């Protein structure tokens, strides 16, 4: 069986652990397994590039961050656009899949990667997806690999920010990745004991944020930690189209809600307020033990699906079990935080503010 593996979209910790597990499974359990890495995600497949992933290449990468294959973002919308040569990117990928003689393609990626994987399946390629993202927003799986490592990194960062916030008696806004979904902000915010959590799923009222900060200070709490997802929205911006929101923010020289919120807090409460954007720290570095185990189990399971000839699926976690979903069922869907769900209700019950 000739197997291709690619990693697509934003990277995260655990990608190499998955690649290794697919390889270890296939070399031990699939007759005549030949494994190839496709560089730079779908970019490599579009260009028809691949290279052998021999056993020695898979050795020593379990705990390595990033991806040994490289990755790139290839917007889904452009996949079916026909170029001057009369071919779309999708046409090129299918042609290159066939030319390489692949029997199976593993696509490690997030929601966008899964949409393209579903298209490839419809065109006759044998695809198995694996759910990667620090955002934890892939539909149909309880958790994605890379998420827990990011939770650890963000929690540790907030812990550190807390000590300087306490020393100076400041309000600290910590901006955390997650454009559409607030999972990372919610989990790490709770784990780090943030006072307030602002996520895209619960638009916030700046006035309520200020009231909360003032109340907190009145109670004698010398500082405030506000965990803010990069996609958090003030209620006034909910009805704006994406382009209108970008326009409003770029007029202030900003892309997210954090800086403006900091100005409002400082003006209205008098609390000295600072913003700390965690950025790509959240995507880098060695995977935590949880992610190493999860990534290994997902990769091994994906290998087993290939052996059984089960294609057009993506591996998923349901409870404590590893399972799979049809790509056609999950493509184009997201898993969001339920504003009325158990974890938000719990957070509210212990006094964490959401300003919604
Ligand atoms: O999808 C993962 C993610 O880290 C998001 O949380 C973030 O908005 C985005 O990627 C950043 O993407 P890029 O690597 O293209 O800057």
């Amino acid at each position: 069986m000739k197997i291709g593996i690619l990693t697509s979209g934003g990277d995260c910790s655990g990608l190499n652990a998955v690649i290794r597990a697919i390889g270890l499974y296939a070399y031990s359990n699939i007759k005549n397994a030949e494994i190839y890495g496709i560089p730079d995600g779908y970019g490599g497949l579009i260009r028809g590039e691949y290279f052998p992933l021999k056993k020695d290449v898979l050795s020593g990468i379990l705990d390595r961050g990033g991806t040994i294959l490289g990755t790139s973002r290839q917007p889904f919308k452009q996949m079916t656009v026909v170029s001057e040569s009369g071919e779309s990117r999708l046409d090129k990928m299918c042609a290159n899949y066939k030319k390489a003689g692949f029997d199976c393609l593993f696509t490690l990626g997030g929601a966008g990667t899964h949409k393209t994987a579903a298209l490839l399946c419809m065109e006759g390629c044998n695809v198995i997806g694996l759910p990667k993202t620090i955002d934890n927003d892939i539909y149909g799986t309880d958790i994605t690999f890379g998420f827990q490592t990011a939770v650890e990194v963000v929690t540790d960062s907030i812990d550190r920010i807390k000590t300087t916030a306490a020393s100076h008696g400041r309000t600290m806004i910590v901006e955390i990745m997650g454009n559409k979904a607030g999972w990372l902000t919610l989990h790490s915010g709770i784990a780090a004991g943030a006072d307030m959590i602002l996520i895209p799923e619960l638009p916030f009222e700046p006035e309520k944020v200020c009231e909360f900060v003032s109340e907190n200070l009145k109670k004698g709490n010398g500082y405030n930690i506000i965990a803010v997802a990069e996609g958090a929205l003030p209620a006034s911006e909910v009805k704006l189209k994406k382009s209108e929101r970008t326009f409003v923010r770029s007029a202030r020289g900003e892309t997210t809600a954090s800086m403006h919120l900091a100005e409002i807090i400082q003006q209205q409460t008098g609390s000295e307020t600072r913003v700390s954007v965690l950025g790509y720290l959240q995507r880098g570095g060695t995977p935590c033990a949880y992610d190493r185990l999860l990534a290994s189990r997902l990769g091994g399971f994906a290998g087993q699906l290939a052996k059984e000839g089960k294609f057009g699926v993506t591996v998923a976690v349901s409870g404590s079990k590893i399972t799979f979903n049809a790509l056609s069922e999950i493509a184009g869907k997201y898993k969001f935080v339920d504003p009325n769900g158990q974890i938000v209700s719990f957070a509210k019950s212990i006094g964490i503010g959401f300003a919604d």
Side-chain angles (χ1 to χ4, degrees):
M1 178 182 269
K2 193 166 178 181
I3 292 168
I5 307 179
L6 62 81
T7 53
S8 171
D11 72 344
C12 70
S13 299
L15 284 161
N16 290 325
V18 173
I19 296 166
R20 171 181 175 270
I22 294 172
L24 292 182
Y25 180 90
Y27 282 131
S28 303
N29 299 283
I30 299 178
K31 218 172 157 197
N32 299 325
E34 283 176 51
I35 309 175
Y36 295 88
I38 297 165
D40 304 327
Y42 289 124
L45 191 57
I46 292 166
R47 299 190 297 272
E49 295 169 6
Y50 58 95
F51 57 91
L53 284 179
K54 297 258 170 62
K55 279 185 189 161
D56 60 328
V57 181
L58 301 174
S59 172
I61 61 169
L62 172 64
D63 58 352
R64 202 191 299 171
T67 161
I68 58 166
L69 304 179
T71 186
S72 63
R73 289 195 187 276
Q74 300 286 335
F76 175 75
K77 278 186 194 154
Q78 286 172 19
M79 286 298 173
T80 47
V81 175
V82 179
S83 70
E84 280 173 11
S85 68
E87 267 185 317
S88 68
R89 292 176 184 195
L90 179 64
D91 296 333
K92 286 182 187 163
M93 289 194 290
C94 292
N96 287 330
Y97 172 92
K98 285 183 190 126
K99 198 168 153 200
F102 287 136
D103 298 298
C104 170
L105 174 68
F106 291 99
T107 56
L108 283 57
T113 301
H114 278 71
K115 277 208 276 184
T116 298
L119 268 187
L120 284 167
C121 283
M122 279 162 57
E123 297 299 316
C125 303
N126 293 332
V127 184
I128 298 176
L130 288 115
K132 161 241 72 166
T133 167
I134 66 165
D135 295 345
N136 194 32
D137 60 353
I138 297 183
Y139 188 82
T141 184
D142 291 350
I143 191 159
T144 56
F145 65 90
F147 174 65
Q148 196 56 42
T149 303
V151 169
E152 301 288 342
V153 171
V154 176
T155 303
D156 178 65
S157 304
I158 298 177
D159 286 347
R160 288 166 191 276
I161 286 169
K162 213 189 262 180
T163 64
T164 166
S167 306
H168 290 264
R170 285 173 171 160
T171 294
M172 299 295 263
I173 290 181
V174 186
E175 187 179 294
I176 296 156
M177 277 186 170
N179 230 328
K180 296 190 178 72
W183 293 107
L184 182 54
T185 307
L186 183 62
H187 282 222
S188 47
I190 295 171
D195 300 289
M196 175 166 264
I197 293 175
L198 306 179
I199 56 175
E201 293 89 338
L202 282 109
F204 67 89
E205 301 282 357
E207 289 299 320
K208 290 189 182 171
V209 175
C210 294
E211 277 164 30
F212 185 92
V213 167
S214 300
E215 278 302 309
N216 223 4
L217 296 175
K218 257 191 238 158
K219 278 185 219 154
N221 298 341
Y223 64 95
N224 284 284
I225 301 290
I226 310 183
V228 182
E230 64 175 336
L233 273 184
S236 60
E237 289 184 16
V238 170
K239 287 208 175 116
L240 299 184
K241 286 188 197 138
K242 201 178 166 198
S243 56
E244 293 168 333
R245 195 178 304 142
T246 305
F247 182 77
V248 169
R249 291 181 180 180
S250 61
R252 296 195 298 257
E254 292 158 13
T255 52
T256 64
S258 304
M259 290 306 291
H260 190 52
L261 179 62
E263 282 163 28
I264 295 174
I265 295 172
Q266 184 146 336
Q267 270 169 18
Q268 295 197 13
T269 69
S271 172
E272 198 176 24
T273 305
R274 296 281 191 273
V275 177
S276 200
V277 180
L278 299 186
Y280 294 91
L281 274 177
Q282 298 162 90
R283 294 230 303 250
T286 184
C288 66
Y290 180 94
D291 267 333
R292 292 183 206 186
L293 173 63
L294 177 65
S296 301
R297 288 184 71 197
L298 292 173
F301 190 83
Q304 196 184 323
L305 290 175
K307 186 180 177 186
E308 291 165 4
K310 185 102 196 135
F311 301 115
V313 294
T314 185
V315 176
V317 179
S318 176
S320 58
K321 292 233 158 41
I322 309 292
T323 176
F324 63 87
N325 293 307
L327 277 167
S328 56
E329 285 294 316
I330 64 113
K333 297 182 189 164
Y334 286 89
K335 181 185 68 181
F336 294 114
V337 173
D338 177 359
N340 302 308
Q342 199 178 39
I343 189 156
V344 172
S345 306
F346 151 72
K348 286 183 174 175
S349 76
I350 60 164
I352 297 176
F354 285 81
D356 56 323

